[in-house]
Amino acid sequence: MEDKNNIFINLNEVINNTIEGILIIEEGFIKNINHSLLEILGYEKKDELIDKLATGILIPTSKEKFIKYNEKLFQEISLITKDGNIIPVIIKIKNLNYQNKDYKMVFILDLSELKEKEKMVIHQSKLSAMGEMISMIAHQWRQPLSTISSMLTRIKLKNDMNKLDKIFLDNMLSDMNKYIQYMSTTIDDFRNFFTIDSKKELLSLNEIVLSASKMLEKTFLSQNIKIEITNKELTKINLPKNELIQVVLNILNNAKDAFLEKNISNSIIKISFEEERNQQKIFIEDNAGGISENIISKIFNPYFSTKTKKNGSGLGLYICKNILEKDNLGDIEVSNIENGTIFIITINKN
């Protein structure tokens, strides 16, 4: 009778010449492993893993996550290497029956490089927004700096005329200090946004929107764009603050660009909130004329831009969707309404 292990001997030549990692498992124990997966895991010999529990190297995520690739669904999990490093991977499992025994063949694809590129794209998107942010800081600082300069001129003039009294000087210094504190607060708002640390904080979506609108307030007012926020008390949940601010900023800036390109008068952005049992939502609507039905389904695609002045990278809304879908945080959708567009940001409370 053919040796029951022949199945593994016969498969060795096939599985060892594949790019993806392959495991063959029987009742939870590893029965075979190919060279590609050994290399990913940092092991030199199969004997180090054969007949060991598969759970020693396969780590399921706390929530089932699936990736669609070539019309097929793959589950996303993690591997733990010999050195204890965690590697993100996607797997596909096939049932295998040989000599009345059931096995599972697990196909494994390393996502490390893809995840690093994903992080780089998100970071580059932030950097590309920095130029516009610096312009906003300059705009918000211009009036305080001009006022402080004028106050210093008045102090010098009075001093030159020997008319500088203590009350006048104290009042001037107090006012200047207020302007400097305002400028310091402004720079803190932007500095916090650009920090790399994206840890989650217990806060509400109202705070996210308020932070984003505050950063744009002066610039929008100078361009006659109003932001109307209809607040609603929402439950505080653990959220990645900076990443969600980036999402809201992208949408608000896109609306601003649409207003300017189309010369819309009475430009208004309305923001409202809704809370359901398992979700919270932000509604951001504008009256910028809407998006052509021919392209509205494509606006979340990478490198797709509706900006006619060629000053858009086409990554802004793609990054928004990427941030929200990562770790099952939520989702974003868009549709046309009368005279404009509405974006709906959905956040999963769990």
Side-chain angles (χ1 to χ4, degrees):
M1 180 182 291
E2 185 181 8
D3 191 284
K4 66 178 182 179
N5 290 321
N6 277 352
I7 180 173
F8 307 121
I9 297 171
N10 295 337
L11 283 176
N12 273 340
E13 187 175 349
V14 176
I15 69 175
N16 284 329
N17 285 284
T18 62
I19 297 174
E20 69 271 17
I22 295 179
L23 272 181
I24 295 178
I25 300 172
E26 180 189 10
E27 296 181 351
F29 289 88
I30 299 170
K31 293 300 179 181
N32 205 348
I33 181 171
N34 72 344
H35 292 325
S36 293
L37 188 53
L38 281 175
E39 186 177 340
I40 292 172
L41 293 170
Y43 290 91
E44 294 181 1
K45 298 179 181 179
K46 293 185 179 184
D47 293 343
E48 296 179 80
L49 291 171
I50 297 298
D51 291 327
K52 301 289 178 60
L53 279 169
T55 51
I57 60 171
L58 299 177
I59 307 174
T61 54
S62 57
K63 294 181 181 178
E64 286 193 334
K65 294 193 292 183
F66 294 90
I67 295 176
K68 192 172 184 180
Y69 179 73
N70 287 346
E71 302 304 318
K72 295 179 181 179
L73 281 178
F74 293 81
Q75 186 176 358
E76 183 176 348
I77 66 166
S78 298
L79 292 182
I80 183 166
T81 68
K82 185 177 182 179
D83 295 331
N85 296 320
I86 304 298
I87 298 176
V89 297
I90 54 173
I91 66 170
K92 184 76 174 179
I93 302 174
K94 292 285 187 182
N95 291 323
L96 183 66
N97 184 277
Y98 181 75
Q99 292 186 344
N100 297 320
K101 279 186 172 288
D102 293 324
Y103 302 92
K104 291 188 181 296
M105 183 176 284
V106 185
F107 299 88
I108 301 171
L109 186 62
D110 187 355
L111 292 179
S112 300
E113 186 177 347
L114 183 63
K115 291 289 186 181
E116 284 302 313
K117 287 182 178 178
E118 181 182 283
K119 288 180 183 177
M120 286 177 60
V121 170
I122 292 174
H123 187 58
Q124 286 170 357
S125 175
K126 272 194 173 183
L127 292 178
S128 68
M130 191 175 291
E132 188 166 359
M133 293 295 183
I134 291 172
S135 175
M136 292 175 190
I137 295 172
H139 183 84
Q140 294 192 38
W141 277 19
R142 188 172 292 115
Q143 190 269 334
L145 286 173
S146 176
T147 303
I148 290 172
S149 177
S150 175
M151 294 167 77
L152 288 171
T153 301
R154 291 177 63 192
I155 291 172
K156 185 178 185 304
L157 182 62
K158 279 188 171 286
N159 186 55
D160 290 344
M161 298 173 64
N162 293 319
K163 293 183 178 180
L164 184 61
D165 61 86
K166 185 178 184 304
I167 296 176
F168 173 82
L169 182 59
D170 286 345
N171 288 337
M172 289 290 104
L173 292 177
S174 177
D175 288 345
M176 279 192 285
N177 185 58
K178 289 177 183 177
Y179 283 113
I180 291 169
Q181 291 303 316
Y182 164 77
M183 293 164 65
S184 177
T185 301
T186 300
I187 202 67
D188 282 343
D189 290 339
F190 288 91
R191 184 187 64 187
N192 291 337
F193 169 69
F194 282 111
T195 183
I196 296 175
D197 187 3
S198 60
K199 65 180 181 181
K200 293 185 177 182
E201 303 176 39
L202 187 64
L203 41 78
S204 70
L205 290 181
N206 313 73
E207 295 172 74
I208 298 290
V209 169
L210 185 61
S211 295
S213 61
K214 185 179 176 183
M215 294 169 75
L216 300 175
E217 183 179 23
K218 295 290 184 182
T219 302
F220 276 34
L221 283 175
S222 70
Q223 294 164 337
N224 296 316
I225 300 172
K226 295 180 182 178
I227 300 179
E228 297 181 353
I229 301 175
T230 304
N231 260 318
K232 178 178 182 177
E233 187 173 346
L234 300 174
T235 305
K236 289 189 175 185
I237 53 180
N238 284 309
L239 298 170
K241 182 178 180 180
N242 289 337
E243 292 187 347
L244 284 179
I245 287 176
Q246 185 179 1
V247 170
V248 176
L249 284 175
N250 267 317
I251 296 171
L252 295 178
N253 275 320
N254 278 353
K256 178 200 71 175
D257 292 339
F259 288 137
L260 297 178
E261 286 188 5
K262 298 177 183 179
N263 295 315
I264 303 294
S265 59
N266 191 32
S267 303
I268 301 174
I269 298 173
K270 296 181 179 180
I271 304 177
S272 57
F273 306 88
E274 184 179 292
E275 180 161 14
E276 300 172 358
R277 181 178 178 182
N278 297 315
Q279 296 177 328
Q280 292 180 353
K281 294 184 178 182
I282 306 173
F283 300 87
I284 304 176
E285 60 179 273
D286 62 60
N287 60 339
I291 303 170
S292 171
E293 292 294 341
N294 296 329
I295 63 173
I296 195 168
S297 62
K298 303 176 184 177
I299 66 170
F300 295 112
N301 293 348
Y303 305 106
F304 182 84
S305 178
T306 61
K307 297 176 183 179
T308 58
K309 294 181 180 178
K310 305 298 180 185
N311 61 349
S313 66
L315 285 173
L317 292 175
Y318 165 72
I319 294 299
C320 291
K321 194 166 185 67
N322 190 284
I323 287 171
L324 290 165
E325 290 183 347
K326 184 179 65 175
D327 299 327
N328 198 33
L329 178 61
D331 199 3
I332 184 171
E333 55 186 299
V334 62
S335 60
N336 284 320
I337 56 175
E338 186 178 358
N339 298 324
T341 305
I342 184 167
F343 283 87
I344 303 175
I345 301 169
T346 300
I347 301 296
N348 298 320
K349 292 167 68 174
N350 297 325

